[in-house]
């Protein structure tokens, strides 16, 4: 990677660059090459947790240099997206507008989108200059980031449409820059020392778009293909891998995109099959170069979580928290992960501690955090709950009033938490059964804890206690059938991960045979059919697996977490049918 100089210290890198920078004549300090060098220094500062210093370095030239504009606005967009504060999001949008204006100054009058044929045709003689090529890539990146913020700005449908149009324009620029790149000769590429930066930008954009679009369920993708979008997962991964191994500023962005895919997307929107070996290889050089970099430490810890190394992950998350105090939002990400890793170990008091910190400090989803805290407390004995000073019923009753809307829609996990919490609205509340384990399943946590047979056995014991308690109910509530089905689904998941597949199948079948008994938790039926399909896939019964997963896909609608299941169904069917998730 260009900015990773093995064996040298960051301070030395900065001093060397500063010496070189001072020797540049004033008039040419911010030509393309100099701006790329200074932005490389800013990137090093950012990865070393020196966020304010990176911004200070970029700010003076943010209206004169496209790369300074892109770097400066990207940092502020990251910060605003993490806080979820409306004023921060508005500031991020304003900064990105300014960045777009700066990039526009360097673009060709007939942009790439407007006159692709002129740019790649050998007959017109009209080609992009080096600066104009970089302006297109920077402009596309800015458009994409502004669109993402526009989506979360407010409920206004016009903003939603504006965001979609910006994404389409960005997508077209990337596609056409990719054609420009393909049309270049080897001599063209070697004649410019900034070519690798343009190539890195193209690979990041093409890779990210292909990967993102390939995740979408077919019914959504068909609509997008109608207006010119298409995505291929293997193409996306290949482009990002090439970008990650290249020597450009965007190498680290390619790395972070791949890490996010392997450690989050493949688990939450897939079937939990991220490539942890690749994730380890991607992060290793950055751990050596930035051993205290909070973003790098965070992903290192997340990889350990997915491996089942919860104790090591917890230590690394603590190191990440101590590494910097400027961006508290990164602390909140660590709290979320620590809450879950302690939940996997059933260390409920420690899990409560981090859920409580999230409730007090983070504004991302108060409804989810309060529900999570109440759910964790419900796993503790009454005396332990009293020692915390909390009131479980009062917490569950708070959840509905904390729900928020983003881009005109409720957050799916918030809607789920609100619906579950309504059992506590009555004068005589009916306790939820294993709510924290139910939410663990929603986040696909059983695929993680399943890597540890000791902890999975412990979870099974807890689930079987709840099963016995339900069986011993003398005055069953109206939620009795739903609770029994939930317990059987959770029990089946533990048995599956312990290799007791026949017993797991019996549990899942108990759920599917109890469909008429369900009154409220209708999501349990399609999710259970999906789990049966995965169980048959594991046994090599491909046709049977496809049939059950197709049942989950086609026979149910309007249930909780429906879109999340459809993402997982898409990923599972794609792997079963031996085809990429979508075609280019």
């Amino acid at each position: 990677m260009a900015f990773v100089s093995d064996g040298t210290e960051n301070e030395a890198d900065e001093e060397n660059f500063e010496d070189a920078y001072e020797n540049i004549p004033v008039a040419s300090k911010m030509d393309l090459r100099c701006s790329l060098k200074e932005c490389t220094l800013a990137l090093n500062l950012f990865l070393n947790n020196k966020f304010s210093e990176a911004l200070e370095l970029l700010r003076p030239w943010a209206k004169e240099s496209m790369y300074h504009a892109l770097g400066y606005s990207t940092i502020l967009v990251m910060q605003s997206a993490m806080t979820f504060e409306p004023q921060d999001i508005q500031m991020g949008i304003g900064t990105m507008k300014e960045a777009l204006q700066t990039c526009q100054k360097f673009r060709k009058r007939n942009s790439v989108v407007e006159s692709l044929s002129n740019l790649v045709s050998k007959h017109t003689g009209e080609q992009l200059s080096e600066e104009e090529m970089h302006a297109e890539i920077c402009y596309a990146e800015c458009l994409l980031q502004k669109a993402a913020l526009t989506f979360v700005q407010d409920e206004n449908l016009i903003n939603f449409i504006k965001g979609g149009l910006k994404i389409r324009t960005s997508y077209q620029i990337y596609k056409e820059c990719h054609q420009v790149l393909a049309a270049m000769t080897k001599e063209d590429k070697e004649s410019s020392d900034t070519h690798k930066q343009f190539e890195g930008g193209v690979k990041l954009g093409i890779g990210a778009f292909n990967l993102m679009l390939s995740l979408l369920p077919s019914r959504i993708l068909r609509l997008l293909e109608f207006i010119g979008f298409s995505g291929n997962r293997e193409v996306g991964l290949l482009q990002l891998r090439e970008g990650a191994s290249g020597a450009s500023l965007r190498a680290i962005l390619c790395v972070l995109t791949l890490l996010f895919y392997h450690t989050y997307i493949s688990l939450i929107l897939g079937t939990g099959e991220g490539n942890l070996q690749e994730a380890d290889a991607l992060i290793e050089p950055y751990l050596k170069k930035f051993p205290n970099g909070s973003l790098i430490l965070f992903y290192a810890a997340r990889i350990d979580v997915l491996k089942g190394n919860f104790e090591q992950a917890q230590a690394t998350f603590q190191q990440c928290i101590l590494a910097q105090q400027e961006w508290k939002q990164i602390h909140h990400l660590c709290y979320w992960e620590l809450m879950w890793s302690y939940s996997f170990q059933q260390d409920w008091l420690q899990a409560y501690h981090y859920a409580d910190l999230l409730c007090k400090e983070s504004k991302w989803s108060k409804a989810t955090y309060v529900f999570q805290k109440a759910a964790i407390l419900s796993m503790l004995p009454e005396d332990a709950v009293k020692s915390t000073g909390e009131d479980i019923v009062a917490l569950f009753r708070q959840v509905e009033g904390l729900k928020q809307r983003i881009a005109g829609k409720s957050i799916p996990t918030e809607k789920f938490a609100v619906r579950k919490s309504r059992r506590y609205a009555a004068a005589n509340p009916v306790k939820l059964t294993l709510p924290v384990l139910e939410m663990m399943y929603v986040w696909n946590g059983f695929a993680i804890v399943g890597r540890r047979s000791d902890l999975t056995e412990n979870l099974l014991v807890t689930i079987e206690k709840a099963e016995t308690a339900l069986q011993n109910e003398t005055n069953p509530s109206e939620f009795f059938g739903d609770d029994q089905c939930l317990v059987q689904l959770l029990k089946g998941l533990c048995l599956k991960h312990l290799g007791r597949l026949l017993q797991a199948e019996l549990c899942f079948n108990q759920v599917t045979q109890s469909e008429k008994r369900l009154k409220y938790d209708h999501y349990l039926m399609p999710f259970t059919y999906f789990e049966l399909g995965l169980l048959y896939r594991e046994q090599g019964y491909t046709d049977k697996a496809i049939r059950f997963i197709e049942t989950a896909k086609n026979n149910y609608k309007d249930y909780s977490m429906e879109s999340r299941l459809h993402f997982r169904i898409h990923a599972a069917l794609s792997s079963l049918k031996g085809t990429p998730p979508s075609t280019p």
Side-chain angles (χ1 to χ4, degrees):
M1 316 264 174
F3 52 89
V4 179
S5 305
D6 296 332
T8 59
E9 294 298 319
N10 299 318
E11 289 79 3
D13 291 344
E14 292 169 27
E15 287 171 11
N16 290 341
F17 176 72
E18 284 162 7
D19 290 343
Y21 182 73
E22 290 303 321
N23 292 325
I24 301 171
V26 174
S28 62
K29 273 189 177 178
M30 279 309 142
D31 64 13
L32 181 61
R33 283 155 188 78
C34 292
S35 68
L36 284 165
K37 285 181 181 178
E38 189 158 302
C39 289
T40 299
L41 174 55
L43 181 58
N44 276 279
L45 290 170
F46 181 82
L47 292 173
N48 271 314
N49 308 321
K50 296 177 181 179
F51 307 123
S52 293
E53 290 179 45
L55 285 170
E56 287 304 312
L57 183 63
L58 295 167
R59 183 183 287 113
W61 290 91
K63 294 185 179 180
E64 304 298 328
S65 156
M66 68 181 94
Y67 274 102
H68 284 71
L70 175 61
Y72 182 70
S73 57
T74 297
I75 294 173
L76 290 178
V77 163
M78 285 179 66
Q79 197 171 19
S80 62
M82 282 182 175
T83 65
F84 248 74
E85 287 283 340
Q87 62 267 29
D88 288 345
I89 291 172
Q90 191 57 51
M91 183 195 70
I93 289 173
T95 307
M96 197 51 75
K97 280 181 181 175
E98 292 177 0
L100 283 165
Q101 289 169 3
T102 302
C103 294
Q104 184 65 41
K105 294 177 188 176
F106 297 91
R107 295 179 77 207
K108 195 177 186 70
R109 284 282 177 89
N110 284 332
S111 71
V112 174
V113 175
E114 293 159 350
S115 58
L116 169 65
S117 58
N118 288 341
L119 300 172
V120 296
S121 170
K122 293 292 181 184
H123 304 295
T124 62
E126 186 182 357
Q127 294 188 351
L128 285 176
S129 70
E130 185 178 49
E131 197 171 62
E132 288 165 346
M133 286 165 56
H134 284 267
E136 291 298 328
I137 286 294
C138 291
Y139 190 80
E141 277 187 47
C142 289
L143 267 184
L144 191 57
Q145 291 182 40
K146 186 170 182 288
L149 280 184
T150 302
F151 276 132
V152 302
Q153 184 184 18
D154 58 35
E155 301 177 17
N156 191 325
L157 182 62
I158 299 299
N159 278 331
F160 190 83
I161 294 168
K162 281 182 181 176
L165 292 173
K166 288 182 180 69
I167 287 178
R168 177 169 164 74
T169 304
S170 175
Y171 178 70
Q172 288 298 116
I173 292 174
Y174 277 123
K175 275 180 67 177
E176 291 158 357
C177 281
H178 190 252
Q179 292 182 45
V180 171
L181 189 65
M184 285 182 171
T185 64
K186 186 179 178 182
E187 292 74 21
D188 290 336
K189 293 176 182 179
E190 291 175 352
S191 66
S192 168
D193 58 354
T194 66
H195 168 75
K196 64 188 177 187
Q197 300 292 350
F198 175 73
E199 188 172 16
V202 173
K203 290 187 181 300
L204 172 64
I206 293 293
F209 262 112
N210 270 277
L211 192 57
M212 176 180 70
L213 291 167
S214 75
L215 297 167
L216 297 175
S218 54
R219 61 181 182 177
I220 299 173
L221 196 62
R222 279 196 295 271
L223 292 172
L224 292 176
E225 285 173 341
F226 181 73
I227 57 171
F229 284 95
S230 62
N232 182 295
R233 183 180 60 190
E234 295 310 316
V235 168
L237 289 172
L238 178 63
Q239 289 288 309
L240 288 167
R241 284 165 183 154
E242 288 178 357
S245 62
S248 81
L249 265 172
R250 295 174 177 93
I252 182 60
L253 297 178
C254 292
V255 167
L256 292 174
T257 304
L258 285 167
L259 288 173
F260 188 62
Y261 172 74
H262 289 313
T263 62
Y264 281 100
I265 297 297
S266 64
L267 191 87
I268 297 168
L269 301 182
T271 54
E273 296 167 343
N275 188 336
L276 297 184
Q277 189 175 356
E278 180 175 27
D280 265 332
L282 285 166
I283 207 165
E284 185 183 4
Y286 292 93
L287 274 171
K288 288 178 181 175
K289 180 66 176 175
F290 307 104
N292 291 311
S294 53
L295 278 178
I296 306 303
L297 287 170
F298 177 81
Y299 273 110
R302 175 65 180 174
I303 292 166
D304 271 324
V305 166
L306 296 182
K307 290 178 178 176
N309 300 334
F310 303 131
E311 297 81 4
Q312 177 58 49
Q314 287 156 7
T316 307
F317 281 127
Q318 295 294 351
Q319 187 184 349
C320 180
I321 291 166
L322 293 171
Q324 60 86 32
Q325 299 301 314
E326 190 177 343
W327 278 22
K328 293 288 186 181
Q329 305 93 317
I330 296 175
H331 294 186
H332 302 156
L333 294 174
C334 293
Y335 297 161
W336 176 262
E337 291 295 336
L338 285 162
M339 177 190 75
W340 279 118
S341 65
Y342 283 116
S343 294
F344 297 148
Q345 295 173 311
Q346 295 192 77
D347 186 341
W348 302 119
L349 275 175
Q350 281 289 356
Y352 158 74
H353 170 67
Y354 290 104
D356 188 45
L357 282 174
L358 284 167
C359 288
K360 290 173 179 173
E361 295 184 18
S362 176
K363 296 182 180 179
W364 176 72
S365 175
K366 291 283 187 186
T368 302
Y369 296 148
V370 172
F371 179 87
Q372 201 70 35
K373 181 164 77 166
I376 289 166
L377 287 168
S378 69
M379 303 299 291
L380 287 166
E382 280 188 28
D383 57 339
V385 175
K386 283 180 183 176
S387 72
T388 66
E390 301 278 10
D391 181 333
I392 294 175
V393 174
L395 286 170
F396 277 124
R397 285 175 176 170
Q398 286 177 31
V399 173
E400 186 158 11
L402 295 168
K403 187 175 72 170
Q404 59 185 327
R405 294 174 76 80
I406 295 171
K409 291 183 177 283
S410 300
I411 301 171
T413 48
E414 284 197 352
K415 286 171 70 175
F416 184 82
V418 166
R419 196 177 54 74
K420 298 297 292 188
S421 296
R422 285 178 183 150
R423 279 170 59 161
Y424 289 82
N428 296 310
V430 180
K431 289 183 178 179
L432 288 167
T433 298
L434 303 174
V436 71
L437 299 193
E438 185 176 19
M439 194 62 97
M440 187 184 292
Y441 174 61
V442 164
W443 290 99
N444 216 357
F446 281 82
I448 300 174
V449 76
R451 292 179 178 270
R452 289 275 295 271
S453 59
D454 57 334
L455 299 180
T456 306
E457 288 278 8
N458 293 343
L459 278 180
L460 182 59
V461 169
T462 299
I463 293 164
E464 287 177 336
K465 283 180 182 175
E467 182 183 31
T468 302
L470 279 173
Q471 288 168 351
N472 294 337
E473 279 280 350
T474 53
N475 186 24
S477 75
E478 61 182 313
F479 302 99
F480 182 72
D482 299 73
D483 290 346
Q484 280 195 317
C485 287
L486 171 64
V487 165
Q488 290 307 311
L489 172 59
L490 299 179
K491 184 178 178 181
L493 289 164
C494 286
L495 291 166
K496 182 185 88 167
H497 287 294
L498 290 169
R500 294 152 65 177
L501 304 186
L502 182 58
Q503 290 172 279
E505 184 179 1
L506 290 171
C507 288
F508 294 148
N509 282 332
Q510 278 192 55
V511 180
T512 60
Q513 290 160 13
S514 303
E515 185 163 4
K516 291 181 180 177
R517 298 176 61 210
L518 286 177
K519 292 184 178 180
Y520 301 99
D521 293 328
H522 300 290
Y523 86 95
L524 290 170
M525 207 53 57
F527 273 84
T528 302
Y529 273 110
F530 175 69
E531 293 298 341
L532 268 168
L534 294 185
L535 186 72
Y536 294 134
R537 181 183 72 169
E538 197 167 314
Q539 295 171 289
Y541 304 142
T542 302
D543 291 343
K544 200 172 184 180
I546 291 172
R547 190 166 73 251
F548 275 82
I549 294 172
E550 292 277 11
T551 299
K553 177 183 176 182
N554 299 323
N555 291 15
Y556 300 91
K557 62 179 182 177
D558 301 326
Y559 53 87
S560 294
M561 312 304 295
E562 183 176 0
S563 61
R564 186 169 296 196
L565 181 59
H566 276 276
F567 275 102
R568 291 179 185 173
I569 285 170
H570 177 65
L573 288 177
S574 298
S575 67
L576 277 163
K577 294 174 181 178
T579 59
S582 57
T583 54

